[in-house]
Amino acid sequence: MATQKGPGEATRTPIDLRSDTVTRPTPAMRRAMAEAEVGDDVFREDPTVRRLEELAARMLGKEAALFVPSGTMGNQVAVNVWTRPGQEVILEERSHIFNYEMGTMAAFSGVLPRPLRGPEGALDEGTVRAAIRPQVYYLTQTGLITLENTHNMAGGTIFPQDQAEAIGRLARERGIPIHLDGARIFNASVALAVEAASLARPFGSVMTCLSKGLGAPVGSVVAGPGDFIQDALRVRKRLGGGMRQAGVLAAAGLVALRDNVERLAEDHANARLLAERVAGIEGLRIDPRGVQTNIVIFTVEVDGFTAHDLAGRWKEEGVLALALDDARVRAVTHYDVDRRQVVSACDSLGRIVAGVRRAGREKGTGP
Ligand code: TLP
């Protein structure tokens, strides 16, 4: 997409694949925001926020929901409500709650993470069962189990529902609360053609983000039983998340939930296309069959050329993506990137990698 800057000077809008968080509000959202009916939500008097919370609770199959400024706050509110200081939280070792929430579970709630490895980010019932602490008074106690669906760092993978159900049954049997980081639960729901409420059923609480693929500028919701939400309200306030005329934000969230869920299928098709094209580039590795939703993680296998180098070169060509470490790059599709842009991003990727390999061969360092 080229926009004219000045005479003879053209700048390209970057193709931004860093995250689905970069989506900007749609015209329908901006209209709804401008017209939103508002009140002071700390007094629970904002009708638009209440409408959003009711819709989110219904779509997630829970009694009630609470609007929060971010996914991180939604997860951490849940951790705080469900646990007591000194307890352990079972989670997957690449999960967002463990890696990207700044140690808040320890700093704010005083709990210990108990990270476990799950293939493609999915823990199974046996692994969780083995990690639950026996109820012996001198042992640290398991206070919470959290799962992630879709799993971000495993590449947008969908949590197998039978495994979630089995872990949910185990949690109930042992009286341990269970929370879902469902930041992208609607991606899973659309990919499986299953209601988000069914995916959320095994969980006591679920957090989902309005500001990722659904396109709202700000906001997440955490949903659960009525008494959980009453406690969550207090914890949100303690964290500084009590918002006043937040209806202007909730209005965009309502549009996100009403209008933008089904179209996530386009992002998934674009991610598959991207993965197939990447798989065809010599020097990059990905199994496109593993790409289930809108996140594509591939490995750079070119001597002396890291994922950071690749992200830098791609950026010069107008494509933004995240290097996760020296070897892996993450590209995320969303509604601000169309199929044509995905094709163009892949063309430039192919040229970059072929050029680096050619230069390596000429210098005698590459294959
Ligand atoms: N994920 C962001 C980054 O923080 C990595 C991204 O670009 O993907 N749970 C999951 C599974 C997430 O992926 C994220 C954000 C969150 C929670 C937190 O949401 P925010 O950013 O609203 O605090």
Side-chain angles (χ1 to χ4, degrees):
M1 199 190 295
T3 44
Q4 220 43 44
K5 238 188 139 191
E9 190 194 348
T11 49
R12 274 187 307 165
T13 310
I15 300 172
D16 196 343
L17 301 170
R18 286 172 302 168
S19 181
D20 46 10
T21 59
V22 302
T23 45
R24 278 156 302 191
T26 58
M29 283 177 184
R30 289 189 186 268
R31 273 195 303 279
M33 293 169 82
E35 289 161 13
E37 217 188 320
V38 295
D40 189 327
D41 183 53
V42 173
F43 293 125
R44 304 300 276 151
E45 284 171 3
D46 189 304
T48 310
V49 170
R50 299 312 287 262
R51 274 204 292 279
L52 172 68
E53 290 172 344
E54 279 159 23
L55 177 64
R58 216 169 36 249
M59 289 174 78
L60 295 168
K62 302 294 175 207
E63 208 179 337
L66 187 67
F67 186 44
V68 287
S70 68
T72 301
M73 190 183 291
N75 281 333
Q76 294 302 326
V77 161
V79 168
N80 191 268
V81 170
W82 289 126
T83 61
R84 289 205 310 276
Q87 291 183 326
E88 245 176 29
V89 176
I90 290 179
L91 35 70
E92 207 277 332
E93 68 180 21
R94 287 164 293 168
S95 65
H96 196 277
I97 295 187
F98 181 42
N99 293 286
Y100 299 95
E101 299 189 6
M102 324 290 297
T104 303
M105 63 159 59
F108 181 64
S109 297
V111 289
L112 301 164
R114 178 76 185 273
L116 307 171
R117 179 79 174 185
E120 276 143 36
L123 297 176
D124 61 41
E125 194 259 8
T127 309
V128 174
R129 184 182 287 274
I132 293 175
R133 300 282 199 166
Q135 287 188 337
V136 175
Y137 87 90
Y138 51 77
L139 281 178
T140 308
Q141 290 298 288
T142 306
L144 177 67
I145 298 166
T146 72
L147 305 180
E148 189 172 308
N149 192 14
T150 62
H151 195 297
N152 184 349
M153 287 301 152
T157 46
I158 298 171
F159 202 102
Q161 192 58 13
D162 54 338
Q163 275 169 237
E165 300 276 0
I167 296 171
R169 278 194 298 277
L170 171 68
R172 277 191 300 282
E173 236 169 66
R174 299 293 181 89
I176 299 168
I178 177 165
H179 169 75
L180 178 67
D181 176 348
R184 297 184 178 84
I185 194 173
F186 289 104
N187 291 86
S189 155
V190 166
L192 296 171
V194 167
E195 298 284 310
S198 306
L199 302 180
R201 195 173 43 222
F203 301 90
S205 60
V206 53
M207 184 286 290
T208 196
C209 292
L210 306 166
S211 63
K212 298 200 161 59
L214 300 183
V218 176
S220 294
V221 285
V222 58
D227 52 353
F228 166 88
I229 293 298
Q230 279 315 307
D231 289 342
L233 195 56
R234 278 190 285 275
V235 177
R236 183 187 70 170
K237 189 75 176 73
R238 191 176 285 159
L239 281 168
M243 297 177 284
R244 302 296 175 172
Q245 286 71 38
V248 289
L249 299 174
L254 277 164
V255 175
L257 287 178
R258 283 184 192 142
D259 298 353
N260 292 357
V261 172
E262 293 307 321
R263 64 145 308 285
L264 293 172
E266 289 168 34
D267 302 343
H268 301 169
N270 285 338
R272 261 192 311 278
L273 171 67
L274 196 146
E276 280 157 14
R277 294 287 304 266
V278 169
I281 298 173
E282 196 108 16
L284 302 180
R285 184 164 53 81
I286 186 171
D287 179 355
R289 287 166 307 184
V291 174
Q292 300 169 354
T293 57
N294 69 328
I295 300 180
V296 178
I297 296 178
F298 60 88
T299 305
V300 183
E301 292 180 332
V302 180
D303 273 350
F305 188 66
T306 67
H308 295 280
D309 297 332
L310 187 147
R313 291 286 304 278
W314 219 4
K315 186 174 178 182
E316 288 167 15
E317 304 245 343
V319 182
L320 306 181
L322 282 185
L324 298 178
D325 50 37
D326 276 353
R328 293 172 313 143
V329 173
R330 186 186 79 160
V332 184
T333 55
H334 51 79
Y335 82 74
D336 273 341
V337 173
D338 61 24
R339 193 179 166 84
R340 193 179 49 79
Q341 290 172 305
V342 168
V343 169
S344 139
C346 292
D347 289 345
S348 84
L349 187 60
R351 276 196 305 275
I352 293 166
V353 176
V356 173
R357 282 167 50 86
R358 201 176 322 110
R361 273 197 305 273
E362 281 160 14
K363 276 204 288 180
T365 58

